[in-house]
Structures are given as C-alpha cells and as structure tokens.
Amino acid sequence: MFVETARPIILTGDRTTGPLHLGHYAGSLRNRVALQHKHQQFVLLADARALTDNIDNPEKVRRNVMEVAIDYLAVGIDPRETTICVQSALPALAELTQLYLNFVSVSRLERNPTIKDEIQMRGFERDIPAGFLCYPVAQAADITAFKATVVPVGLDQSPMIEQTNEIGRRINRQIGRELLLEAKPLIPSTGRLPGVDGKTKMSKSQGNAISLSATPNEIRAFVNRMYTDPNHLRTSDPGIVEGNVVFTYLDAFDTDRAAVDELKERYRRGGLGDVTVKRRLEDVLQELLKPIRERRAAVSNDLGYVLDLLRSGTSKARAITQSTFDELRDGLGLFSLEQNLTKLNR
Ligand code: TRP
C-alpha cells in the first residue's frame, strides 16, 4: 500500500483587507511557493482576523477574500499542493480561541509588541477593542488548530508565534502531554521590505506599496519616486547604499548577486547615477510581476473555479481543525455528549 510520509505542516495566512503587495511577496508568499512541495501547507484567508480592526467596513473584508485568493493563485500557490481556506467558515478556530483565552492574561496581551505598537499608533489606550487585544490568541488558535510547526511570516509577526507557543506550553502542561506542537516562524533573510518612500513598512494605507497587480506604468512610477540617498546629488558623488530603498529592493529581488554587489561598489565610490540603478530595478520588478499579473487576469476570468477551490479547501480544513478541538476537549476532560452511559463520567 502507498503510504504518504508525513510532511511538516505549514500554516500561514493573510488578513483580507486589500490586495497583496511586494512586501507580502518578499515576506511570506515567496517562501510558501517554494515550500509547498515538501510540506503540507494550509493558507488561511484571515477574514475574521481582518474584522478586528475593520468592523466598520465588513464589506471591504468580504470583497478581499476572493481578491487575496486570486493573488495566491497568481503568485504560484498551487492548489494541488496547498489547501486554501476561509477562516470565518471554520468554527473550531473560534472555539479554540475561546478556550485559549483562559490561558493568557490581559497584561501579557498588552505587552505583546505587535499589539503594544498598534495601541500606541492608533491611540487606543484603554479603549482598545477586546477583539483586537485578543488577536494574538486567535492567531494561536489558527496555528495550533492545524498542528503547524512551520509558519512563514514577516519579521513583525514573530511575537505572535512566541505568544502561540507560550499558550501551547501552558495547555500542554494542563493536559499533561505534548498535544500542541512548537511552531517556528520562518522569516526571510532579506528582512522587512520598506515602503518605496523609505518609511519602515510597506503598506497600502500609506500609499507606499507596490501591489502584485500593479501595471507596468505604476511599477515605473513607484520606482521613480523611490527613496535613495538624499545627499547623492551628482552621479560623481559617492553614495550610501544602506537605507537606500533601491538597493534594498535589488537585494530582495535581483537574482544576480554579483552584479548587485558590483553596483553597490560603484555607487559607494561615486560615478553611478540613481537613474541607472533605478532602471535596473525597474527591469527586475517588471519581469517579476509580469507573469503574476497575467496569471491574475486569467484566474479572475474563472471565479467559479476559485470559489470551488475555497469550498473544497475549507471543508478539508474544517475536519482538521474540528478534530484538534475534539482532542483538546478530551485532553482537558471537558464534558462530552458522546460518552458511553455505562462508563458515564459525571
Ligand atoms: N496576523 C497575520 C498578519 O497580519 C495574518 C494571520 C492570521 C496569520 N492568522 C495567521 C499569519 C496565522 C500566520 C499564521 O499578516
């Protein structure tokens, strides 16, 4: 009989708040495409997580479920290798979240660096929505429900994985065995991709993100306005490569390492103009995004196919996540309606 050897399980996801951009690609999508053949991969369209800071705009969250699914297929996530599923249609994730909330304190959540930053950035103070505060717990539910051990994410998500493992260890201690597995973040060596303006993060709301569906003209315009070295005024001036977005992007996307190193060398020495470097980057990005854009257009013409994939992926995920919840319920020894009357354990 053919026995499938167990492949390590990957779970990752994206909040469905807008189309995906190059930051998502460098941070996680690229790893997913590369890893899907040697892993059992699940990808969540995290619409329930997206609601925690978009409850005033559920329509946006709903519309982007299909958009992000199309992005996945466009970048080369292969539905034969990867199960794509819709978070809000997986009730076990909500049940697990509810259970996990008993294993974490409010003060620990407030200290979660991602949550802490957001509280400050948005000026929430004590008025933080409870759903948002509990986001890390819900993400822990996502990851553990699939028994994932590998989580390809951007650097900013590593506190979430830490929090997941903390909750997992507490639960295992309560149950008395290793029911939940340790999850490891898989963070790209290129680090976080900055926005084209050089600001810390690429984000659609900041207008500094190149979306995966950008047209050739948009790509060109973004590259042209990219932040370089503000003191590199004349071609002959020596320039600085660190923090220079054009070089950061070349590092992330140009596969010819030697050529990039040589360009850096010349730029530092003086004698290399911004325009020359930008044209090279533009070529690299045009070449990267062209097939993605074309696949995107093709997939968009067959929405029935996409919906079918989401239906079958979600139904597979429903069984898996439900069975993890059942194991936890049994492990904790909660009441079960399925128990045998003769051995009734009141
Ligand atoms: N929090 C992630 C983000 O904002 C999205 C996400 C939700 C996720 N659930 C997940 C990522 C589980 C990895 C694993 O990008």
Side-chain angles (χ1 to χ4, degrees), residues 106 109-129 132-133:
V106 171
L109 289 172
E110 283 171 343
R111 270 184 282 118
N112 179 305
T114 313
I115 298 294
K116 204 171 154 180
D117 286 357
E118 295 278 335
I119 292 177
Q120 258 169 18
M121 243 165 52
R122 295 164 195 245
F124 278 144
E125 303 208 356
R126 296 295 296 160
D127 279 334
I128 179 170
F132 190 80
L133 179 67

Side-chain angles (χ1 to χ4, degrees), residues 11-15 24 32 44 46 49 87 135 138-140 142-143 151-154 156-157 160-161 201:
L11 181 279
T12 181
D14 298 278
R15 300 174 340 115
H24 296 108
R32 299 181 203 176
L44 261 184
R49 283 329 141 249
Q87 188 173 49
Y135 188 112
Q139 187 157 342
D142 295 344
I143 295 169
V151 188
V153 281
D156 58 315
Q157 291 288 305
M160 295 296 194
I161 318 294
K201 194 174 175 172

Side-chain angles (χ1 to χ4, degrees), residues 124-309:
F124 278 144
E125 303 208 356
R126 296 295 296 160
D127 279 334
I128 179 170
F132 190 80
L133 179 67
C134 298
Y135 188 112
V137 183
Q139 187 157 342
D142 295 344
I143 295 169
T144 53
F146 290 87
K147 304 234 171 102
T149 55
V150 184
V151 188
V153 281
L155 184 61
D156 58 315
Q157 291 288 305
S158 66
M160 295 296 194
I161 318 294
E162 236 168 77
Q163 181 101 61
T164 299
N165 288 330
E166 225 173 274
I167 293 171
R169 281 193 294 272
R170 289 199 172 177
I171 290 174
N172 287 344
R173 207 176 312 133
Q174 177 66 35
I175 293 180
R177 66 189 169 92
E178 300 293 296
L179 180 68
L180 299 180
L181 307 175
E182 174 99 11
K184 288 203 173 56
L186 187 77
I187 293 161
S189 54
T190 44
R192 179 155 86 178
L193 200 68
V196 297
D197 53 3
K199 300 266 165 56
T200 47
K201 194 174 175 172
M202 195 182 250
S203 108
K204 189 172 168 262
S205 55
Q206 305 263 344
N208 64 5
I210 305 181
S211 87
L212 293 177
S213 54
T215 63
N217 281 338
E218 287 167 342
I219 296 169
R220 168 168 264 260
F222 269 121
V223 172
N224 284 344
R225 59 176 262 242
M226 244 175 217
Y227 180 86
T228 60
D229 171 3
N231 298 316
H232 184 247
L233 299 176
R234 277 168 312 220
T235 300
S236 55
D237 290 340
I240 295 174
V241 163
E242 289 68 32
N244 185 320
V245 178
V246 182
F247 281 103
T248 311
Y249 277 49
L250 282 173
D251 278 338
F253 300 111
D254 194 327
T255 48
D256 189 345
R257 312 282 353 134
V260 173
D261 285 344
E262 202 190 305
L263 284 177
K264 285 182 181 172
E265 198 43 50
R266 275 174 57 201
Y267 195 83
R268 287 195 176 102
R269 235 180 8 231
L272 180 59
D274 279 358
V275 175
T276 314
V277 199
K278 284 190 169 180
R279 288 290 69 82
R280 179 177 181 103
L281 176 62
E282 192 202 330
D283 288 347
V284 168
L285 293 183
Q286 296 287 10
E287 201 177 311
L288 172 71
L289 290 174
K290 182 167 185 270
I292 295 177
R293 193 172 49 242
E294 286 172 356
R295 262 198 305 264
R296 210 180 187 292
V299 174
S300 299
N301 274 329
D302 197 354
L303 295 179
Y305 163 75
V306 182
L307 196 55
D308 276 347
L309 279 180

Side-chain angles (χ1 to χ4, degrees), residues 55-69:
I55 198 62
D56 55 344
N57 198 353
E59 192 210 325
K60 175 174 88 175
V61 172
R62 186 198 67 229
R63 257 191 299 107
N64 280 299
V65 170
M66 285 294 274
E67 291 308 309
V68 174

Side-chain angles (χ1 to χ4, degrees), residues 4-110:
E4 194 186 356
T5 45
R7 297 190 283 178
I9 298 173
I10 292 182
L11 181 279
T12 181
D14 298 278
R15 300 174 340 115
T16 56
T17 52
L20 302 182
H21 52 61
L22 270 182
H24 296 108
Y25 186 79
S28 173
L29 294 171
R30 182 156 61 174
N31 272 336
R32 299 181 203 176
V33 174
L35 294 170
Q36 59 187 342
H37 312 287
K38 294 243 165 72
H39 293 73
Q40 194 182 348
Q41 178 162 259
F42 298 88
V43 178
L44 261 184
L45 293 156
D47 57 343
R49 283 329 141 249
L51 279 182
T52 59
D53 57 347
N54 288 281
I55 198 62
D56 55 344
N57 198 353
E59 192 210 325
K60 175 174 88 175
V61 172
R62 186 198 67 229
R63 257 191 299 107
N64 280 299
V65 170
M66 285 294 274
E67 291 308 309
V68 174
I70 294 168
D71 280 335
Y72 288 162
L73 299 170
V75 297
I77 287 182
D78 179 348
R80 289 166 305 186
E81 304 276 10
T82 298
T83 304
I84 305 176
C85 45
V86 180
Q87 188 173 49
S88 61
L90 299 172
L93 298 182
E95 294 180 289
L96 285 170
T97 304
Q98 194 186 19
L99 201 56
Y100 290 4
L101 283 168
N102 301 306
F103 291 90
V104 65
S105 69
V106 171
S107 70
R108 172 63 179 94
L109 289 172
E110 283 171 343

